[in-house]
């Protein structure tokens, strides 16, 4: 039996991003989660070759949008009982943290990731 229910506020890890959201549906293996805030911005590049710049296509990975809904495996969803931050403010904080981490890394992957994040930042905060 599920301990979480529709309407609960949760944290959800989706691919390499982490979000705060609300459960909107319960499925056999997943929760459908509506995104309300960003905790950790997704990593850039190829998910199957993490931190490798020498891939055929270096993916630009956007954070899930405000109120976007996504299926998250049940094991990746945990209760959240703090105040939910503003989406835009949380996205700015998550982008800032990722940029700090990337600037401390001199690898080609980090440099390409930083270029992606700088481009995403222009789009996010226009």
């Amino acid at each position: 039996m599920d301990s979480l229910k529709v309407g609960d506020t949760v944290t959800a890890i989706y691919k390499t991003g982490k979000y705060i959201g609300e459960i909107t549906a319960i499925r056999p293996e997943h929760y459908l989660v509506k995104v309300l805030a960003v905790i950790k911005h997704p990593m850039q590049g190829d998910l199957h070759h993490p931190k490798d710049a020498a891939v055929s296509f270096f993916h630009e990975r956007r954070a899930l949008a405000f109120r976007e809904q996504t299926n998250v495996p049940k094991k990746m969803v945990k209760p959240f009982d703090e105040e939910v931050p503003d989406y835009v403010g949380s996205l700015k904080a998550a982008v800032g943290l990722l940029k700090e981490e990337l600037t401390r890394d001199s690898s080609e992957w980090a440099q390409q990731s930083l270029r992606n994040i700088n481009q995403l930042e222009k789009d996010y905060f226009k």
Side-chain angles (χ1 to χ4, degrees):
M1 177 148 188
D2 294 323
S3 60
L4 297 172
K5 61 189 181 313
V6 171
D8 283 356
T9 303
V10 295
T11 61
I13 297 173
Y14 179 74
K15 297 192 178 176
T16 60
K18 187 172 182 181
Y19 303 89
I20 299 169
E22 177 186 334
I23 295 175
T24 58
I26 299 173
R27 301 190 168 141
E29 301 295 322
H30 297 84
Y31 291 111
L32 185 62
V33 176
K34 177 174 61 176
V35 174
L36 302 175
V38 181
I39 297 173
K40 181 181 181 291
H41 193 281
M43 288 176 53
Q44 302 302 294
D46 188 334
L47 294 180
H48 302 291
H49 299 94
K51 297 194 175 185
D52 185 358
V55 292
S56 59
F57 184 72
F58 197 91
H59 296 268
E60 177 183 270
R61 303 207 175 275
R62 298 179 66 83
L64 295 174
F66 181 60
R67 295 191 173 162
E68 181 174 353
Q69 296 198 60
T70 190
N71 284 301
V72 182
K74 288 184 175 180
K75 67 181 181 179
M76 306 304 278
V77 176
K78 305 287 184 231
F80 183 78
D81 59 5
E82 298 172 35
E83 186 174 331
V84 177
D86 167 72
Y87 177 83
V88 173
S90 71
L91 179 59
K92 282 181 181 178
V95 166
L97 183 60
L98 181 57
K99 285 177 73 172
E100 281 178 30
E101 292 170 6
L102 292 170
T103 56
R104 290 192 300 264
D105 184 339
S106 62
S107 70
E108 181 56 36
W109 167 82
Q111 298 310 307
Q112 180 62 42
S113 293
L114 198 52
R115 286 190 289 274
N116 280 11
I117 290 298
N118 287 333
Q119 190 59 43
L120 284 170
E121 200 171 27
K122 290 176 188 171
D123 188 43
Y124 288 154
F125 309 118
K126 23 179 165 174

